[in-house]
Amino acid sequence: MPRSERSPLLLAVLLATSGVAHFAVPRQFDAVVPRALPGKPRTWTYASGVAELALAAGVALPRTRKVAALAAAGFFVGVFPANVKMAVDWRHRPTPQKAAAIGRLPLQIPLVLWARGVAKNTEGRA
C-alpha cells in the first residue's frame, strides 16, 4: 500500500489510540484540562475521548474522510491549550518529563498539517 494510502489509516489509528487512552487512564487527561473550562475535568476527558474515537472512525472511512480529517485538524488546534497547561504545570518536574511536555507544543503543527493533508488528498468527497 502506497504511503499516501496509509496516511489516513495511520491518522485514524493515532486518533483511536488516543481516544481509548482517555477512557483507560482518564486521570492523566483530567490533569491537563484547563481550569477555565466549565464543569468537571472528567467530563471534558471523556468528551475528548469520544470526539477522538468519532474522528478516527470518520477518517478511516473514505466516504467521510475529508470532513473528518478537517475536523481532526480543528480538534488538534482546540486541544492546544491543554498542552500549554501541561507544559506550565510540568515546568518543575524532572528534565525528561518537562522536555516531553514542552515537546508536545510544536508537535501540534505537524498533526494539524497531517490532518489537512489527508483531507486535501481525499478527492471528490466532502
Side-chain angles (χ1 to χ4, degrees):
M1 178 182 289
R3 182 176 155 182
S4 63
E5 291 178 29
R6 285 192 316 257
S7 186
L9 300 179
L10 292 173
L11 179 58
V13 167
L14 173 83
L15 287 161
T17 301
S18 183
V20 168
H22 280 71
F23 293 95
V25 286
R27 198 161 46 192
Q28 78 178 33
F29 294 96
D30 293 347
V32 299
V33 173
R35 289 180 207 44
L37 292 175
K40 296 180 182 180
R42 183 62 51 94
T43 303
W44 288 100
T45 294
Y46 287 156
S48 180
V50 168
E52 285 179 305
L53 291 170
L55 290 169
V59 169
L61 298 170
R63 185 174 183 149
T64 56
R65 182 168 294 151
K66 184 173 187 174
V67 170
L70 289 172
F75 180 83
F76 292 140
V77 171
V79 299
F80 186 74
N83 291 338
V84 170
K85 181 181 183 308
M86 181 180 182
V88 170
D89 290 350
W90 287 25
R91 68 187 177 278
H92 300 299
R93 290 202 178 189
T95 300
Q97 290 177 336
K98 187 176 8 179
I102 292 169
R104 288 178 58 137
L105 299 176
L107 181 62
Q108 294 303 114
I109 295 168
L111 288 174
V112 170
L113 295 176
W114 182 15
R116 287 183 57 210
V118 167
K120 183 179 177 185
N121 291 330
T122 302
E123 295 296 323
R125 304 190 199 275

